[in-house]
Structures are given as C-alpha cells and as structure tokens.
Amino acid sequence: MEIWILIAAIVALAFLRQPVLVLLGVAALFVYAVWNDGRPEYALYDVWFAVNQDVLLAIPLFVLAGAVMSAGAIAERIIAFMRELTRPIPGGLALAAVLSCAGFAAISGSAAVTLLAVGGIMYRALIECGYSKTFSIGALCAGGVLGIIIPPSIPLILYGYITQVSISQLFLAGIGPALVLIAIFSVYAVVLNRKNREGGWRPKQIVRAFGRAGFALPVPFVILGGIYSGVFTVTEAAAVAVALAVIVEVFIHRDLSFIQLKDVAVDSAKLLGSLYPILAFAFALNVFLTAEGVPQALVAELADVISSPFEFLIAANILLLAVGMIIDVGSATLVLAPLLQPLADSQDIHPVHFGIMMIVNLGIGYLTPPLGLNLIVAMAAFRESFWTVTKAVLPFIGLMLVGLWIIAAFPQIALYFVR
C-alpha cells in the first residue's frame, strides 16, 4: 500500500511541474519514515554523509574554472587559432567550430558553457561567411554536448561518485568516444559545406593566433596529465584548474578584473546551489535502496527477461534516451546510475564502458525536445524560435545516435586509454 502512495505522490508532483529536487526529497523522506523503523532522522545522517566527500569539491572548482575562462577571452583565442589552422580545408570554418567546441569543452566540462562561450563568437562568423543558419545552430548545439564527454566532465564526476567507479578511469574513457563524435561531426561539417572556402594557410597569422591562445591550450594537458601521472587527485586537479584560469585571465591576458572575478564566483555559487541538494537526496535514497537490496532484487527479477548483454544495452539505451528528453543529465545520472550499474555488472559489461555510454546517451537529451538544455540556451543565445533550433539539431541527433551505437557496440573505444 505504501509504495502506491509514494508513486501517486511522485506522479502528482510531476504533473504539478515540481522540480527534481522536490521529487527526490519527498521520495527520500517517505522511504526513511515508512520503511526505516519510522525514523526519518536517519535520512539526515545519510544526506550529510552524501555531501561530506572530498571528491565533490571537484565539481564547484571545475565549474568555477570554466566560468572564469568563458567570462574572459580564452574561447575567442581558441577559435581564432582553430580558424587559422582550418582555412585551406573546404568547409574549414565549420570544422573550426567543431574543433573549437572540443577545445573549450576540455576546459569547461559543461555543455551549456561550451555552447555559450563558443557559439557567442562563432555563430555570427559562420553566418557572415555564408554558412546556413540551420547548420550553424545545429553544429554549435551538438558541439556543446562534447562538454559533458571530454574530461573534465561534471556528469562523469557525478557518475563516478554515485556508483563508486574510478573518476580518473572515466575521464580516460571519455577521450575515445569524444574523438569518435568529433570525427563524425567534422566529416559531416566538411562534406555539407565543401563549397565554402576561406583560402590558404597564413603562417604569420597562425603563429600570432597560437601566441594569443598559447597559455590556454596546455591547460587540459596539465590537468589530465597531473591526474594520470599521480601528481594530484581529481579534486586537486580542479583546484589547479581554477588557479590556472585566474592566472591566465586576470594576470596574463588581463581580460578579467578582480570585480568581474567576484561576480563570476557568485554566479557559479548560485548555479551549484541547485545541484548539491539534489545530489544529497539522491545519495541518501541510493544508500537506503542499496541497504534494502533493491538493486539486487531488480537484477534477479530481470534475469529471466534479459538473457544477453545485447538485449540489456538495447533496453538501457531506449530507457536513457526517453529519460534524457525530460530530465537533465545530472539528475538522471544520480537517479538511474545506481539502479542500472548493478544490471550492467550482472551482464558482465565493464562499469567504465557503461558509464561512458550512459553519459553519451543522456547527452543526446541536451538536443531533444521538449526540455533539451542546449535548445533552450540556443534560443536565448541566437535569438531564434524553439522550432528553428529544434529543426537545426535534428541531423546532429542522428549523428549522435550513430556515434552512440559505435561506442556501445565497440567497448574498446572507451576502454583503450583505460587499459
């Protein structure tokens, strides 16, 4: 009886358009009050345990580092360098847009930040050089999704935290799938826009553009190199990222003042204020469900229905695609990862491979109506209607589905750098 009361309450709150935080909070407090000897105060202990973790410090630090760099001129400098490198290639500016998104994604770790930082500059340039509005919007929206796949990715940190899978290995595993998607986007961009040409290489301008972007380009290599060489942990790497961002933007490039830096820090804190309560309730609910053996029971129930890893991957991907259309990546990861990971383990699917596949799958949700985050951001950034933006991303949704199939079918793509 109690379970039906809980389900009815969640459905009613969802119809009332309550945020995910309210849904998770109600669910967590209900199960602790009803099924945990009537002592909901245990939930408070688990909530505190959830947020009292060193690795969670990496999230606000990486968010702050990305915000500092997007508020400065690093995106503009990366774009100028990529544009000079791709000048002789047919559709070179389109290729530069994809590569610029990838380059900035390796710094920001966020899809929306990547779209805003690169799209704010590149969209106008693409239109002025004769590229169609449809392609330009679609390419920048899809390129922004690379921000949650290329390390340092905030969703990968959340996935590793909630499932206890190594975050360092998840970062390494994100490189191969990111390269697959970059290659797919790049080929499509060049083939579709092969008639657009900007001219030949300009060595002096290449050197000049490299000099302007030179302090930003090594940042991802310093961060990831430090993690994988054992010089510092993921959390310490996030602190290094913030330090490098401040040094480059405030002291070297001088694109940010200390007053602007304070405003960026405040805005980042407001953004994180909505994430940590969700994370705390999700973790508390996960602790309770694990203690009660719910994931194990789910595995046992589905053992007779799903008879092979292939069937599981098909079912999981369909579920994730549906969920990604209505729930943001972070919330979906916190809710579904603890339930799906044991199922993947029961089918002998590598936990790192499944984690990457899940994040790539949910990343497609950034492009799908009705609640795709990049669709909403693009509407505001490019001042276009929802229908225009949705129509623009449709080819790229197809390209991402192709990439997802490749990543799911060939686990060695994700596991190559891990192994």
Side-chain angles (χ1 to χ4, degrees), residues 79 83 93 97 115-141 378-379 381-385 388-389 392:
I79 289 170
R83 187 171 182 177
L93 189 60
L115 170 57
L116 286 171
V118 178
I121 302 167
M122 186 60 81
Y123 179 64
R124 183 180 300 176
L126 286 166
I127 298 300
E128 290 176 352
C129 290
Y131 291 82
S132 72
K133 179 189 297 185
T134 300
F135 168 80
S136 302
I137 294 174
L140 293 169
C141 287
M379 287 171 57
F382 307 140
R383 298 181 180 179
E384 297 290 346
S385 68
T388 299
V389 176

PDB file of all heavy atoms in Angstrom, residues 79 83 93 97 115-141 378-379 381-385 388-389 392:
ATOM      1  N   ILE A  79      39.199  29.926 -30.726  1.00  0.00           N
ATOM      2  CA  ILE A  79      38.505  29.981 -32.014  1.00  0.00           C
ATOM      3  C   ILE A  79      39.395  30.573 -33.095  1.00  0.00           C
ATOM      4  O   ILE A  79      39.463  30.055 -34.220  1.00  0.00           O
ATOM      5  CB  ILE A  79      37.203  30.798 -31.875  1.00  0.00           C
ATOM      6  CG1 ILE A  79      36.180  30.017 -31.048  1.00  0.00           C
ATOM      7  CG2 ILE A  79      36.617  31.135 -33.252  1.00  0.00           C
ATOM      8  CD1 ILE A  79      34.965  30.830 -30.665  1.00  0.00           C
ATOM      9  N   ARG A  83      40.552  28.548 -36.379  1.00  0.00           N
ATOM     10  CA  ARG A  83      40.135  29.088 -37.678  1.00  0.00           C
ATOM     11  C   ARG A  83      41.317  29.218 -38.629  1.00  0.00           C
ATOM     12  O   ARG A  83      41.201  28.929 -39.823  1.00  0.00           O
ATOM     13  CB  ARG A  83      39.466  30.443 -37.469  1.00  0.00           C
ATOM     14  CG  ARG A  83      38.846  31.019 -38.736  1.00  0.00           C
ATOM     15  CD  ARG A  83      38.007  32.235 -38.436  1.00  0.00           C
ATOM     16  NE  ARG A  83      37.383  32.750 -39.641  1.00  0.00           N
ATOM     17  CZ  ARG A  83      36.540  33.778 -39.668  1.00  0.00           C
ATOM     18  NH1 ARG A  83      36.206  34.385 -38.534  1.00  0.00           N
ATOM     19  NH2 ARG A  83      36.017  34.203 -40.812  1.00  0.00           N
ATOM     20  N   LEU A  93      35.698  26.700 -41.818  1.00  0.00           N
ATOM     21  CA  LEU A  93      35.151  27.410 -40.663  1.00  0.00           C
ATOM     22  C   LEU A  93      34.182  26.517 -39.887  1.00  0.00           C
ATOM     23  O   LEU A  93      34.116  26.585 -38.653  1.00  0.00           O
ATOM     24  CB  LEU A  93      34.448  28.690 -41.121  1.00  0.00           C
ATOM     25  CG  LEU A  93      34.011  29.628 -40.000  1.00  0.00           C
ATOM     26  CD1 LEU A  93      35.213  30.086 -39.184  1.00  0.00           C
ATOM     27  CD2 LEU A  93      33.270  30.842 -40.562  1.00  0.00           C
ATOM     28  N   ALA A  97      34.537  25.373 -36.018  1.00  0.00           N
ATOM     29  CA  ALA A  97      33.502  25.460 -34.988  1.00  0.00           C
ATOM     30  C   ALA A  97      33.465  24.192 -34.146  1.00  0.00           C
ATOM     31  O   ALA A  97      33.395  24.248 -32.911  1.00  0.00           O
ATOM     32  CB  ALA A  97      32.137  25.707 -35.651  1.00  0.00           C
ATOM     33  N   LEU A 115      28.609  25.850 -25.272  1.00  0.00           N
ATOM     34  CA  LEU A 115      27.740  26.422 -26.295  1.00  0.00           C
ATOM     35  C   LEU A 115      27.733  27.944 -26.226  1.00  0.00           C
ATOM     36  O   LEU A 115      27.850  28.629 -27.264  1.00  0.00           O
ATOM     37  CB  LEU A 115      26.317  25.887 -26.121  1.00  0.00           C
ATOM     38  CG  LEU A 115      25.213  26.548 -26.966  1.00  0.00           C
ATOM     39  CD1 LEU A 115      25.534  26.452 -28.446  1.00  0.00           C
ATOM     40  CD2 LEU A 115      23.868  25.925 -26.653  1.00  0.00           C
ATOM     41  N   LEU A 116      27.624  28.500 -25.036  1.00  0.00           N
ATOM     42  CA  LEU A 116      27.572  29.954 -24.897  1.00  0.00           C
ATOM     43  C   LEU A 116      28.892  30.606 -25.253  1.00  0.00           C
ATOM     44  O   LEU A 116      28.930  31.618 -25.965  1.00  0.00           O
ATOM     45  CB  LEU A 116      27.178  30.323 -23.461  1.00  0.00           C
ATOM     46  CG  LEU A 116      25.711  30.098 -23.090  1.00  0.00           C
ATOM     47  CD1 LEU A 116      25.509  30.294 -21.599  1.00  0.00           C
ATOM     48  CD2 LEU A 116      24.820  31.045 -23.875  1.00  0.00           C
ATOM     49  N   ALA A 117      29.989  30.025 -24.763  1.00  0.00           N
ATOM     50  CA  ALA A 117      31.299  30.643 -24.975  1.00  0.00           C
ATOM     51  C   ALA A 117      31.710  30.607 -26.447  1.00  0.00           C
ATOM     52  O   ALA A 117      32.157  31.613 -27.010  1.00  0.00           O
ATOM     53  CB  ALA A 117      32.354  29.947 -24.109  1.00  0.00           C
ATOM     54  N   VAL A 118      31.572  29.449 -27.079  1.00  0.00           N
ATOM     55  CA  VAL A 118      31.985  29.308 -28.483  1.00  0.00           C
ATOM     56  C   VAL A 118      30.909  29.851 -29.419  1.00  0.00           C
ATOM     57  O   VAL A 118      31.208  30.568 -30.379  1.00  0.00           O
ATOM     58  CB  VAL A 118      32.296  27.834 -28.812  1.00  0.00           C
ATOM     59  CG1 VAL A 118      32.666  27.681 -30.286  1.00  0.00           C
ATOM     60  CG2 VAL A 118      33.433  27.319 -27.931  1.00  0.00           C
ATOM     61  N   GLY A 119      29.645  29.515 -29.138  1.00  0.00           N
ATOM     62  CA  GLY A 119      28.566  29.951 -30.012  1.00  0.00           C
ATOM     63  C   GLY A 119      28.401  31.452 -30.069  1.00  0.00           C
ATOM     64  O   GLY A 119      28.050  32.001 -31.126  1.00  0.00           O
ATOM     65  N   GLY A 120      28.649  32.119 -28.949  1.00  0.00           N
ATOM     66  CA  GLY A 120      28.518  33.569 -28.928  1.00  0.00           C
ATOM     67  C   GLY A 120      29.435  34.264 -29.911  1.00  0.00           C
ATOM     68  O   GLY A 120      29.143  35.375 -30.370  1.00  0.00           O
ATOM     69  N   ILE A 121      30.555  33.633 -30.241  1.00  0.00           N
ATOM     70  CA  ILE A 121      31.519  34.215 -31.180  1.00  0.00           C
ATOM     71  C   ILE A 121      31.382  33.587 -32.565  1.00  0.00           C
ATOM     72  O   ILE A 121      31.355  34.270 -33.588  1.00  0.00           O
ATOM     73  CB  ILE A 121      32.958  34.005 -30.652  1.00  0.00           C
ATOM     74  CG1 ILE A 121      33.111  34.640 -29.269  1.00  0.00           C
ATOM     75  CG2 ILE A 121      33.980  34.582 -31.623  1.00  0.00           C
ATOM     76  CD1 ILE A 121      34.355  34.227 -28.541  1.00  0.00           C
ATOM     77  N   MET A 122      31.273  32.260 -32.604  1.00  0.00           N
ATOM     78  CA  MET A 122      31.345  31.542 -33.866  1.00  0.00           C
ATOM     79  C   MET A 122      30.070  31.652 -34.696  1.00  0.00           C
ATOM     80  O   MET A 122      30.132  31.607 -35.932  1.00  0.00           O
ATOM     81  CB  MET A 122      31.672  30.073 -33.587  1.00  0.00           C
ATOM     82  CG  MET A 122      31.915  29.223 -34.826  1.00  0.00           C
ATOM     83  SD  MET A 122      33.294  29.808 -35.846  1.00  0.00           S
ATOM     84  CE  MET A 122      34.689  29.109 -34.955  1.00  0.00           C
ATOM     85  N   TYR A 123      28.916  31.801 -34.062  1.00  0.00           N
ATOM     86  CA  TYR A 123      27.654  31.829 -34.819  1.00  0.00           C
ATOM     87  C   TYR A 123      27.633  32.971 -35.829  1.00  0.00           C
ATOM     88  O   TYR A 123      27.315  32.783 -37.005  1.00  0.00           O
ATOM     89  CB  TYR A 123      26.480  31.952 -33.852  1.00  0.00           C
ATOM     90  CG  TYR A 123      25.131  32.012 -34.542  1.00  0.00           C
ATOM     91  CD1 TYR A 123      24.645  30.940 -35.279  1.00  0.00           C
ATOM     92  CD2 TYR A 123      24.333  33.165 -34.452  1.00  0.00           C
ATOM     93  CE1 TYR A 123      23.408  30.997 -35.909  1.00  0.00           C
ATOM     94  CE2 TYR A 123      23.103  33.221 -35.077  1.00  0.00           C
ATOM     95  CZ  TYR A 123      22.651  32.143 -35.802  1.00  0.00           C
ATOM     96  OH  TYR A 123      21.429  32.201 -36.432  1.00  0.00           O
ATOM     97  N   ARG A 124      27.993  34.149 -35.376  1.00  0.00           N
ATOM     98  CA  ARG A 124      27.994  35.304 -36.278  1.00  0.00           C
ATOM     99  C   ARG A 124      29.006  35.121 -37.400  1.00  0.00           C
ATOM    100  O   ARG A 124      28.737  35.460 -38.562  1.00  0.00           O
ATOM    101  CB  ARG A 124      28.300  36.575 -35.492  1.00  0.00           C
ATOM    102  CG  ARG A 124      28.261  37.847 -36.336  1.00  0.00           C
ATOM    103  CD  ARG A 124      28.571  39.066 -35.494  1.00  0.00           C
ATOM    104  NE  ARG A 124      27.594  39.218 -34.411  1.00  0.00           N
ATOM    105  CZ  ARG A 124      27.683  40.170 -33.485  1.00  0.00           C
ATOM    106  NH1 ARG A 124      28.707  41.016 -33.496  1.00  0.00           N
ATOM    107  NH2 ARG A 124      26.772  40.265 -32.553  1.00  0.00           N
ATOM    108  N   ALA A 125      30.173  34.566 -37.071  1.00  0.00           N
ATOM    109  CA  ALA A 125      31.196  34.354 -38.101  1.00  0.00           C
ATOM    110  C   ALA A 125      30.710  33.369 -39.161  1.00  0.00           C
ATOM    111  O   ALA A 125      30.937  33.567 -40.367  1.00  0.00           O
ATOM    112  CB  ALA A 125      32.485  33.846 -37.452  1.00  0.00           C
ATOM    113  N   LEU A 126      30.041  32.306 -38.740  1.00  0.00           N
ATOM    114  CA  LEU A 126      29.534  31.320 -39.696  1.00  0.00           C
ATOM    115  C   LEU A 126      28.494  31.943 -40.634  1.00  0.00           C
ATOM    116  O   LEU A 126      28.530  31.735 -41.848  1.00  0.00           O
ATOM    117  CB  LEU A 126      28.921  30.139 -38.950  1.00  0.00           C
ATOM    118  CG  LEU A 126      29.896  29.173 -38.272  1.00  0.00           C
ATOM    119  CD1 LEU A 126      29.163  28.259 -37.295  1.00  0.00           C
ATOM    120  CD2 LEU A 126      30.649  28.335 -39.295  1.00  0.00           C
ATOM    121  N   ILE A 127      27.579  32.719 -40.087  1.00  0.00           N
ATOM    122  CA  ILE A 127      26.536  33.350 -40.899  1.00  0.00           C
ATOM    123  C   ILE A 127      27.156  34.339 -41.884  1.00  0.00           C
ATOM    124  O   ILE A 127      26.798  34.374 -43.076  1.00  0.00           O
ATOM    125  CB  ILE A 127      25.495  34.050 -40.004  1.00  0.00           C
ATOM    126  CG1 ILE A 127      24.796  33.031 -39.093  1.00  0.00           C
ATOM    127  CG2 ILE A 127      24.476  34.790 -40.864  1.00  0.00           C
ATOM    128  CD1 ILE A 127      24.062  31.943 -39.812  1.00  0.00           C
ATOM    129  N   GLU A 128      28.113  35.138 -41.417  1.00  0.00           N
ATOM    130  CA  GLU A 128      28.741  36.130 -42.287  1.00  0.00           C
ATOM    131  C   GLU A 128      29.532  35.497 -43.421  1.00  0.00           C
ATOM    132  O   GLU A 128      29.686  36.094 -44.492  1.00  0.00           O
ATOM    133  CB  GLU A 128      29.667  37.034 -41.455  1.00  0.00           C
ATOM    134  CG  GLU A 128      28.910  37.968 -40.510  1.00  0.00           C
ATOM    135  CD  GLU A 128      29.843  38.767 -39.629  1.00  0.00           C
ATOM    136  OE1 GLU A 128      31.069  38.477 -39.647  1.00  0.00           O
ATOM    137  OE2 GLU A 128      29.359  39.664 -38.915  1.00  0.00           O
ATOM    138  N   CYS A 129      30.020  34.271 -43.207  1.00  0.00           N
ATOM    139  CA  CYS A 129      30.803  33.594 -44.245  1.00  0.00           C
ATOM    140  C   CYS A 129      29.931  32.698 -45.139  1.00  0.00           C
ATOM    141  O   CYS A 129      30.466  31.894 -45.911  1.00  0.00           O
ATOM    142  CB  CYS A 129      31.913  32.767 -43.604  1.00  0.00           C
ATOM    143  SG  CYS A 129      33.219  33.774 -42.872  1.00  0.00           S
ATOM    144  N   GLY A 130      28.632  32.817 -45.034  1.00  0.00           N
ATOM    145  CA  GLY A 130      27.750  32.122 -45.963  1.00  0.00           C
ATOM    146  C   GLY A 130      27.263  30.758 -45.523  1.00  0.00           C
ATOM    147  O   GLY A 130      26.617  30.048 -46.312  1.00  0.00           O
ATOM    148  N   TYR A 131      27.537  30.346 -44.300  1.00  0.00           N
ATOM    149  CA  TYR A 131      27.039  29.065 -43.812  1.00  0.00           C
ATOM    150  C   TYR A 131      25.572  29.229 -43.413  1.00  0.00           C
ATOM    151  O   TYR A 131      25.163  30.277 -42.916  1.00  0.00           O
ATOM    152  CB  TYR A 131      27.862  28.579 -42.620  1.00  0.00           C
ATOM    153  CG  TYR A 131      29.269  28.187 -42.997  1.00  0.00           C
ATOM    154  CD1 TYR A 131      30.274  29.146 -43.142  1.00  0.00           C
ATOM    155  CD2 TYR A 131      29.608  26.860 -43.219  1.00  0.00           C
ATOM    156  CE1 TYR A 131      31.568  28.791 -43.491  1.00  0.00           C
ATOM    157  CE2 TYR A 131      30.902  26.489 -43.558  1.00  0.00           C
ATOM    158  CZ  TYR A 131      31.868  27.468 -43.702  1.00  0.00           C
ATOM    159  OH  TYR A 131      33.154  27.112 -44.053  1.00  0.00           O
ATOM    160  N   SER A 132      24.798  28.198 -43.641  1.00  0.00           N
ATOM    161  CA  SER A 132      23.363  28.293 -43.366  1.00  0.00           C
ATOM    162  C   SER A 132      23.098  28.432 -41.868  1.00  0.00           C
ATOM    163  O   SER A 132      23.859  27.930 -41.027  1.00  0.00           O
ATOM    164  CB  SER A 132      22.629  27.064 -43.907  1.00  0.00           C
ATOM    165  OG  SER A 132      22.921  25.922 -43.110  1.00  0.00           O
ATOM    166  N   LYS A 133      21.996  29.103 -41.567  1.00  0.00           N
ATOM    167  CA  LYS A 133      21.603  29.276 -40.176  1.00  0.00           C
ATOM    168  C   LYS A 133      21.326  27.920 -39.528  1.00  0.00           C
ATOM    169  O   LYS A 133      21.699  27.670 -38.381  1.00  0.00           O
ATOM    170  CB  LYS A 133      20.367  30.164 -40.098  1.00  0.00           C
ATOM    171  CG  LYS A 133      19.858  30.399 -38.686  1.00  0.00           C
ATOM    172  CD  LYS A 133      18.508  31.104 -38.683  1.00  0.00           C
ATOM    173  CE  LYS A 133      18.603  32.482 -39.300  1.00  0.00           C
ATOM    174  NZ  LYS A 133      17.305  33.220 -39.182  1.00  0.00           N
ATOM    175  N   THR A 134      20.679  27.040 -40.287  1.00  0.00           N
ATOM    176  CA  THR A 134      20.326  25.722 -39.749  1.00  0.00           C
ATOM    177  C   THR A 134      21.561  24.941 -39.345  1.00  0.00           C
ATOM    178  O   THR A 134      21.640  24.395 -38.228  1.00  0.00           O
ATOM    179  CB  THR A 134      19.515  24.923 -40.786  1.00  0.00           C
ATOM    180  OG1 THR A 134      18.332  25.638 -41.107  1.00  0.00           O
ATOM    181  CG2 THR A 134      19.155  23.549 -40.235  1.00  0.00           C
ATOM    182  N   PHE A 135      22.551  24.879 -40.244  1.00  0.00           N
ATOM    183  CA  PHE A 135      23.768  24.141 -39.919  1.00  0.00           C
ATOM    184  C   PHE A 135      24.496  24.787 -38.741  1.00  0.00           C
ATOM    185  O   PHE A 135      24.974  24.093 -37.833  1.00  0.00           O
ATOM    186  CB  PHE A 135      24.707  24.070 -41.116  1.00  0.00           C
ATOM    187  CG  PHE A 135      26.079  23.572 -40.748  1.00  0.00           C
ATOM    188  CD1 PHE A 135      26.316  22.218 -40.581  1.00  0.00           C
ATOM    189  CD2 PHE A 135      27.118  24.464 -40.506  1.00  0.00           C
ATOM    190  CE1 PHE A 135      27.566  21.755 -40.193  1.00  0.00           C
ATOM    191  CE2 PHE A 135      28.369  24.018 -40.117  1.00  0.00           C
ATOM    192  CZ  PHE A 135      28.596  22.655 -39.965  1.00  0.00           C
ATOM    193  N   SER A 136      24.609  26.110 -38.757  1.00  0.00           N
ATOM    194  CA  SER A 136      25.388  26.807 -37.732  1.00  0.00           C
ATOM    195  C   SER A 136      24.827  26.550 -36.342  1.00  0.00           C
ATOM    196  O   SER A 136      25.571  26.233 -35.401  1.00  0.00           O
ATOM    197  CB  SER A 136      25.405  28.314 -38.031  1.00  0.00           C
ATOM    198  OG  SER A 136      25.945  28.570 -39.303  1.00  0.00           O
ATOM    199  N   ILE A 137      23.510  26.661 -36.193  1.00  0.00           N
ATOM    200  CA  ILE A 137      22.891  26.422 -34.887  1.00  0.00           C
ATOM    201  C   ILE A 137      23.060  24.964 -34.473  1.00  0.00           C
ATOM    202  O   ILE A 137      23.441  24.666 -33.333  1.00  0.00           O
ATOM    203  CB  ILE A 137      21.398  26.798 -34.929  1.00  0.00           C
ATOM    204  CG1 ILE A 137      21.237  28.302 -35.140  1.00  0.00           C
ATOM    205  CG2 ILE A 137      20.693  26.359 -33.648  1.00  0.00           C
ATOM    206  CD1 ILE A 137      19.804  28.741 -35.342  1.00  0.00           C
ATOM    207  N   GLY A 138      22.796  24.043 -35.412  1.00  0.00           N
ATOM    208  CA  GLY A 138      22.908  22.624 -35.090  1.00  0.00           C
ATOM    209  C   GLY A 138      24.309  22.220 -34.690  1.00  0.00           C
ATOM    210  O   GLY A 138      24.507  21.484 -33.709  1.00  0.00           O
ATOM    211  N   ALA A 139      25.304  22.702 -35.423  1.00  0.00           N
ATOM    212  CA  ALA A 139      26.694  22.334 -35.137  1.00  0.00           C
ATOM    213  C   ALA A 139      27.136  22.844 -33.771  1.00  0.00           C
ATOM    214  O   ALA A 139      27.812  22.131 -33.017  1.00  0.00           O
ATOM    215  CB  ALA A 139      27.611  22.884 -36.227  1.00  0.00           C
ATOM    216  N   LEU A 140      26.765  24.067 -33.428  1.00  0.00           N
ATOM    217  CA  LEU A 140      27.182  24.637 -32.153  1.00  0.00           C
ATOM    218  C   LEU A 140      26.447  23.987 -30.982  1.00  0.00           C
ATOM    219  O   LEU A 140      27.041  23.766 -29.924  1.00  0.00           O
ATOM    220  CB  LEU A 140      26.953  26.151 -32.165  1.00  0.00           C
ATOM    221  CG  LEU A 140      27.847  26.924 -33.147  1.00  0.00           C
ATOM    222  CD1 LEU A 140      27.377  28.364 -33.293  1.00  0.00           C
ATOM    223  CD2 LEU A 140      29.306  26.875 -32.700  1.00  0.00           C
ATOM    224  N   CYS A 141      25.163  23.663 -31.178  1.00  0.00           N
ATOM    225  CA  CYS A 141      24.426  22.959 -30.115  1.00  0.00           C
ATOM    226  C   CYS A 141      25.027  21.579 -29.872  1.00  0.00           C
ATOM    227  O   CYS A 141      25.236  21.161 -28.727  1.00  0.00           O
ATOM    228  CB  CYS A 141      22.955  22.834 -30.487  1.00  0.00           C
ATOM    229  SG  CYS A 141      22.012  24.367 -30.377  1.00  0.00           S
ATOM    230  N   ALA A 378      20.314  27.856 -26.719  1.00  0.00           N
ATOM    231  CA  ALA A 378      20.479  28.367 -28.081  1.00  0.00           C
ATOM    232  C   ALA A 378      19.392  29.364 -28.440  1.00  0.00           C
ATOM    233  O   ALA A 378      19.648  30.341 -29.161  1.00  0.00           O
ATOM    234  CB  ALA A 378      20.489  27.212 -29.074  1.00  0.00           C
ATOM    235  N   MET A 379      18.166  29.136 -27.991  1.00  0.00           N
ATOM    236  CA  MET A 379      17.082  30.088 -28.254  1.00  0.00           C
ATOM    237  C   MET A 379      17.446  31.479 -27.736  1.00  0.00           C
ATOM    238  O   MET A 379      17.229  32.487 -28.415  1.00  0.00           O
ATOM    239  CB  MET A 379      15.790  29.613 -27.590  1.00  0.00           C
ATOM    240  CG  MET A 379      15.115  28.438 -28.260  1.00  0.00           C
ATOM    241  SD  MET A 379      13.741  27.801 -27.246  1.00  0.00           S
ATOM    242  CE  MET A 379      12.730  29.271 -27.074  1.00  0.00           C
ATOM    243  N   ALA A 381      20.617  32.516 -26.836  1.00  0.00           N
ATOM    244  CA  ALA A 381      21.904  33.000 -27.357  1.00  0.00           C
ATOM    245  C   ALA A 381      21.796  33.486 -28.798  1.00  0.00           C
ATOM    246  O   ALA A 381      22.406  34.495 -29.170  1.00  0.00           O
ATOM    247  CB  ALA A 381      22.950  31.896 -27.245  1.00  0.00           C
ATOM    248  N   PHE A 382      21.032  32.763 -29.628  1.00  0.00           N
ATOM    249  CA  PHE A 382      20.950  33.089 -31.056  1.00  0.00           C
ATOM    250  C   PHE A 382      19.658  33.806 -31.426  1.00  0.00           C
ATOM    251  O   PHE A 382      19.454  34.148 -32.588  1.00  0.00           O
ATOM    252  CB  PHE A 382      21.069  31.809 -31.890  1.00  0.00           C
ATOM    253  CG  PHE A 382      22.285  30.990 -31.565  1.00  0.00           C
ATOM    254  CD1 PHE A 382      22.216  29.601 -31.519  1.00  0.00           C
ATOM    255  CD2 PHE A 382      23.501  31.590 -31.286  1.00  0.00           C
ATOM    256  CE1 PHE A 382      23.329  28.833 -31.221  1.00  0.00           C
ATOM    257  CE2 PHE A 382      24.616  30.837 -30.977  1.00  0.00           C
ATOM    258  CZ  PHE A 382      24.541  29.453 -30.948  1.00  0.00           C
ATOM    259  N   ARG A 383      18.771  34.002 -30.435  1.00  0.00           N
ATOM    260  CA  ARG A 383      17.504  34.718 -30.635  1.00  0.00           C
ATOM    261  C   ARG A 383      16.681  34.094 -31.767  1.00  0.00           C
ATOM    262  O   ARG A 383      16.220  34.789 -32.677  1.00  0.00           O
ATOM    263  CB  ARG A 383      17.776  36.199 -30.920  1.00  0.00           C
ATOM    264  CG  ARG A 383      18.472  36.906 -29.773  1.00  0.00           C
ATOM    265  CD  ARG A 383      18.704  38.363 -30.056  1.00  0.00           C
ATOM    266  NE  ARG A 383      19.379  39.009 -28.939  1.00  0.00           N
ATOM    267  CZ  ARG A 383      19.735  40.303 -28.917  1.00  0.00           C
ATOM    268  NH1 ARG A 383      19.464  41.068 -29.967  1.00  0.00           N
ATOM    269  NH2 ARG A 383      20.345  40.813 -27.876  1.00  0.00           N
ATOM    270  N   GLU A 384      16.527  32.800 -31.683  1.00  0.00           N
ATOM    271  CA  GLU A 384      15.736  32.061 -32.659  1.00  0.00           C
ATOM    272  C   GLU A 384      14.603  31.329 -31.951  1.00  0.00           C
ATOM    273  O   GLU A 384      14.651  31.111 -30.728  1.00  0.00           O
ATOM    274  CB  GLU A 384      16.615  31.049 -33.407  1.00  0.00           C
ATOM    275  CG  GLU A 384      17.727  31.680 -34.240  1.00  0.00           C
ATOM    276  CD  GLU A 384      17.205  32.430 -35.457  1.00  0.00           C
ATOM    277  OE1 GLU A 384      16.019  32.244 -35.799  1.00  0.00           O
ATOM    278  OE2 GLU A 384      17.978  33.188 -36.061  1.00  0.00           O
ATOM    279  N   SER A 385      13.586  30.947 -32.708  1.00  0.00           N
ATOM    280  CA  SER A 385      12.440  30.250 -32.133  1.00  0.00           C
ATOM    281  C   SER A 385      12.801  28.816 -31.760  1.00  0.00           C
ATOM    282  O   SER A 385      13.794  28.259 -32.252  1.00  0.00           O
ATOM    283  CB  SER A 385      11.278  30.231 -33.130  1.00  0.00           C
ATOM    284  OG  SER A 385      11.588  29.413 -34.245  1.00  0.00           O
ATOM    285  N   THR A 388      12.862  26.599 -34.852  1.00  0.00           N
ATOM    286  CA  THR A 388      14.061  26.778 -35.684  1.00  0.00           C
ATOM    287  C   THR A 388      15.243  26.017 -35.099  1.00  0.00           C
ATOM    288  O   THR A 388      15.978  25.325 -35.822  1.00  0.00           O
ATOM    289  CB  THR A 388      14.410  28.271 -35.804  1.00  0.00           C
ATOM    290  OG1 THR A 388      13.319  28.965 -36.422  1.00  0.00           O
ATOM    291  CG2 THR A 388      15.667  28.478 -36.638  1.00  0.00           C
ATOM    292  N   VAL A 389      15.426  26.140 -33.792  1.00  0.00           N
ATOM    293  CA  VAL A 389      16.550  25.463 -33.138  1.00  0.00           C
ATOM    294  C   VAL A 389      16.357  23.943 -33.181  1.00  0.00           C
ATOM    295  O   VAL A 389      17.300  23.186 -33.458  1.00  0.00           O
ATOM    296  CB  VAL A 389      16.692  25.948 -31.685  1.00  0.00           C
ATOM    297  CG1 VAL A 389      17.791  25.166 -30.968  1.00  0.00           C
ATOM    298  CG2 VAL A 389      16.998  27.437 -31.645  1.00  0.00           C
ATOM    299  N   ALA A 392      17.130  22.576 -36.527  1.00  0.00           N
ATOM    300  CA  ALA A 392      18.568  22.637 -36.807  1.00  0.00           C
ATOM    301  C   ALA A 392      19.333  21.475 -36.199  1.00  0.00           C
ATOM    302  O   ALA A 392      20.334  21.012 -36.770  1.00  0.00           O
ATOM    303  CB  ALA A 392      19.132  23.967 -36.288  1.00  0.00           C
TER     304      ALA A 392
END
